[in-house]
Structure formats: structure tokens, C-alpha cells
């Protein structure tokens, strides 16, 4: 129908790329509330699978704890299934996927098959020397999904007891994650730059300022 055609054309399909601790999760949560699109975070999906104790969760957990990437075939299968769900007709925000060249190619194939394109690939840039400090102080509220930092964005005292420190938010795991980012993920940036959809955003500064920079980049 013409109604669904209109829905399709206003659908916003976006990707968030950036090192661990760049602020992807925080900013993605704000964007999805603005665009009313599903927030698809592969890291969140793996953490949920770990909590549920599924076989996939058990496999993923071994990689995550060490700060390594989960194998492509596992991640690609998971994302394919997720993108096949109806709510993605409104668009989507992919947070933490793709992280490798084969993942980027699999996504391009899946979108091409449905005649869809990406509207924006946001690259949130934060220098390595700021990352460890950001990550080690990071805490999240499992009930609201809100992300805090003990120093930079202190949580309300009454929440202190229920906040969670991610297992892979240790200095050692962060160093592996940063290395994986530079060797495996950063190389997909030119792929999107070539397609003319890449938007670089400075991720240094207060979350509200970064949100404004993202809005400006999206036009
Ligand atoms: P994140 O919450 O995005 O930082 O992801 C946490 C961890 O989940 C990563 O360090 C990886 O072990 C795993 N993971 C999440 N997304 C991917 C992906 N696209 N490819 C491979 N591993 C992933």
C-alpha cells in the first residue's frame, strides 16, 4: 500500500561505529528515542544470551571475557535473524555491528536483497588515551539501561546497589578490545567512506554536546 511505501521511505537505517567506550550505547539510546527505531546492539544481545545461559551465550562469553570478537558466523547469523523481524521496517540503529569486513559485506548483501540502503554510518571518534579511563569507571543500570561513569556522569546514590560493572570493562580486556577495534573494525571505515554515507563525529566532550554534534552531522 502507499502507506507502507511511505513508511519505508521515512525509515532511518543507521550504524554506529567507534572504539569501546566511545559513547555508542549512550548516544544510540538517545537517537532511537528520537527516530522511533529499534536499537540493535549485538553486545546487548550477547550479554542477554550469556545471562540466559544459551549455548550461543556460553560460546560468546568466552570471547567477550577476553575482550575478543565473537566469530563472524555467529554474529552474522544473529543479526540476520534480528533484521528479519518486523519492527526493522521502521528502520534500525545497529550499535556494535558490523565490526569486521565480512560482517560489513554480509550486511550489505542482506540490505541489497531487500533493495534497502543505509542512511548514515556514524563514526564516533575518541582517542585511545581517553578510552581506558572511560571504560574502567563505567557502570550501567540493568533496570533502565542507563549508562553512568563514576566520575564523569555519577549515578544517583540510591541506585548504587543495583549498578553493574561489565566483566569486560577491565583494563586488561579493554586493551584487547581496543586492539581488535584498530585491527578489525577501523578497516571497514573506508568501505563506508567510499559509499558516501560516513559521518565522522567527535566523541570527546559532554554527552549532550556529542548528541548535538550527531544531530548536526545527520542534518
Ligand atoms: P559491545 O557491547 O558492543 O562493546 O560488545 C561487547 C562484546 O561482545 C565485544 O567485545 C565482543 O566480544 C562481542 N561483540 C559484540 N558485537 C560484536 C560483533 N559485531 N562482532 C564480534 N563480536 C561482537
Amino acid at each position: 500500500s502507499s502507506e507502507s511505501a511511505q513508511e519505508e521511505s521515512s525509515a532511518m537505517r543507521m550504524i554506529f561505529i567507534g572504539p569501546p567506550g566511545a559513547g555508542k550505547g549512550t548516544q544510540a539510546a538517545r537517537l532511537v528515542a528520537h527516530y522511533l527505531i529499534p536499537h540493535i546492539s549485538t553486545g546487548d544481545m550477547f550479554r542477554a544470551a550469556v545471562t540466559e545461559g544459551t549455548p550461543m551465550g556460553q560460546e560468546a562469553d568466552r570471547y567477550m571475557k577476553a575482550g575478543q570478537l565473537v566469530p563472524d558466523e555467529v554474529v552474522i547469523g544473529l543479526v540476520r535473524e534480528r533484521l528479519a523481524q518486523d519492527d526493522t521496517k521502521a528502520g534500525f540503529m545497529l550499535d556494535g555491528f558490523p565490526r569486521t569486513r565480512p560482517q560489513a559485506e554480509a550486511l550489505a548483501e542482506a540490505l541489497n536483497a531487500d533493495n534497502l540502503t543505509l542512511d548514515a554510518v556514524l563514526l564516533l571518534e575518541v582517542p585511545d588515551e581517553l578510552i581506558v579511563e572511560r571504560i574502567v569507571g563505567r557502570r550501567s543500570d540493568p533496570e533502565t539501561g542507563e549508562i553512568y561513569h563514576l566520575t564523569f556522569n555519577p549515578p544517583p546514590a540510591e541506585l548504587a546497589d543495583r549498578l553493574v560493572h561489565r566483566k569486560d570493562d577491565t583494563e586488561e580486556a579493554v586493551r584487547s578490545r581496543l586492539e581488535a577495534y584498530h585491527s578489525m573494525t577501523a578497516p571497514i571505515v573506508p568501505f563506508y567512506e567510499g559509499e558516501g554515507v560516513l559521518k565522522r563525529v567527535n566523541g570527546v566532550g559532554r554527552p549532550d554536546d556529542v548528541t548535538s554534534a550527531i544531530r548536526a552531522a545527520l542534518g
Side-chain angles (χ1 to χ4, degrees):
S1 73
S2 64
E3 229 172 71
S4 67
Q6 205 170 14
E7 239 170 53
E8 297 274 322
S9 66
S10 64
M12 194 60 171
R13 285 175 292 270
M14 288 188 277
I15 293 180
F16 238 128
I17 299 177
K24 299 187 294 291
T26 299
Q27 297 297 332
R30 295 178 179 197
L31 283 174
V32 299
H34 179 77
Y35 290 104
L36 303 174
I37 52 179
H39 180 186
I40 303 177
S41 156
T42 43
D44 284 350
M45 290 164 86
F46 284 132
R47 281 184 286 278
V50 171
T51 303
E52 285 166 30
T54 67
M56 188 198 63
Q58 287 171 8
E59 188 189 354
D61 195 34
R62 294 204 304 269
Y63 296 95
M64 294 167 77
K65 270 196 225 145
Q68 291 167 1
L69 295 181
V70 175
D72 281 336
E73 55 281 12
V74 176
V75 190
I76 290 169
L78 183 76
V79 172
R80 270 189 206 286
E81 275 178 30
R82 183 64 188 84
L83 289 180
Q85 288 173 26
D86 245 18
D87 61 343
T88 64
K89 287 200 166 61
F92 54 76
M93 158 62 71
L94 274 173
D95 164 11
F97 180 95
R99 262 181 159 98
T100 65
R101 184 80 194 207
Q103 291 179 21
E105 282 162 5
L107 176 65
E109 253 171 51
L111 293 175
N112 277 341
D114 289 337
N115 263 318
L116 299 175
T117 54
L118 289 171
D119 296 288
V121 175
L122 290 161
L123 174 63
L124 206 48
E125 299 184 296
V126 175
D128 282 8
E129 56 271 25
L130 296 183
I131 295 293
V132 176
E133 195 182 25
R134 279 192 179 196
I135 292 253
V136 176
R138 176 157 75 174
R139 299 292 183 275
S140 61
D141 181 344
E143 280 176 40
T144 61
E146 194 66 32
I147 302 164
Y148 298 98
H149 187 283
L150 295 179
T151 314
F152 306 141
N153 178 25
E158 64 272 21
L159 296 185
D161 289 344
R162 72 179 198 210
L163 296 181
V164 178
H165 186 200
R166 274 171 55 172
K167 277 194 284 210
D168 58 348
D169 276 355
T170 60
E171 183 157 351
E172 197 192 357
V174 172
R175 301 223 179 263
S176 308
R177 288 160 67 199
L178 263 179
E179 196 189 303
Y181 177 76
H182 289 296
S183 62
M184 310 290 284
T185 308
I188 69 177
V189 168
F191 175 83
Y192 291 118
E193 208 155 32
E195 302 204 335
V197 285
L198 189 79
K199 305 195 182 298
R200 290 176 188 272
V201 176
N202 179 7
V204 181
R206 287 176 307 158
D208 286 350
D209 295 334
V210 177
T211 304
S212 306
I214 292 172
R215 289 274 174 82
L218 290 174

